[in-house]
Amino acid sequence: MHGADLGLLMMRAVLGVMLFVHGANKVFGPGGLAGTARWFESVGLRPGWLHARLAAACEIGAGLLMAAGLAFPAAGAAFAGLMLVAGLTDHRGKGFFVFKGGWEYVGLVGLMAISLVAVGPGAWSLDEVLGWHLTGVGWAGSAAVVGAAAALVLLAARRTPAQDRP
């Protein structure tokens, strides 16, 4: 047993389970998808029903991939994209500290996911079992770029309140 592999497993598991539960809460939490859709509308992500489903599916899927150490650059890209959208919508203009609604938390989560792609998922991962060695600076950079591009496309494609008027 290598300490580094244990540490990577623990980081993957915590990040992955955290994002999985976050996505599941969008579907099964007190307000369900309808409440999540209303909240997305309130932060400018329209149509809310679509963004709620996309976010929940991405969070659940990326959380599972991260925890399992499978298709690691895809997991990192999804984390980066999700956290960038959160940072540019709900946390924007609120400063750094999360207790004031700032971007501290989403910045940390996104950066940790990309950092893990640079290092790799470790020996106790499905990527290792499959012989996939998709790690390093290039893979981490690609995951960051793909995640940021996906987030920016999603934000550019959202409808604004003016577009909702007849």
Side-chain angles (χ1 to χ4, degrees):
M1 176 189 303
H2 291 96
D5 291 318
L6 176 61
L8 291 168
L9 173 64
M10 290 169 34
M11 285 189 280
R12 284 191 354 250
V14 167
L15 278 177
V17 169
M18 178 271 310
L19 197 62
F20 174 87
V21 171
H22 205 77
N25 187 61
K26 284 179 171 54
V27 178
F28 304 110
L33 276 173
T36 301
R38 286 189 298 276
W39 180 78
F40 274 126
E41 291 268 346
S42 78
V43 296
L45 292 170
R46 296 178 180 86
W49 66 267
L50 177 61
H51 286 278
R53 285 162 176 78
L54 286 173
C58 286
E59 289 173 357
I60 290 168
L64 291 172
L65 290 176
M66 178 63 69
L70 177 63
F72 218 48
F79 266 78
L82 287 160
M83 296 304 111
L84 184 56
V85 169
L88 292 174
T89 56
D90 189 35
H91 301 276
R92 186 176 186 161
K94 298 177 183 174
F96 174 73
F97 296 107
V98 70
F99 63 84
K100 293 183 177 183
W103 59 270
E104 172 186 17
Y105 173 75
V106 296
L108 176 66
V109 170
L111 184 58
M112 288 301 302
I114 295 300
S115 298
L116 282 170
V117 174
V119 175
W124 301 332
S125 68
L126 290 180
D127 275 3
E128 182 67 26
V129 169
L130 295 168
W132 294 354
H133 302 287
L134 312 174
T135 65
V137 174
W139 285 104
S142 296
V145 168
V146 167
L152 295 176
V153 166
L154 182 130
L155 290 171
R158 67 185 168 174
R159 287 197 333 242
T160 63
Q163 291 169 318
D164 290 338
R165 292 187 205 124

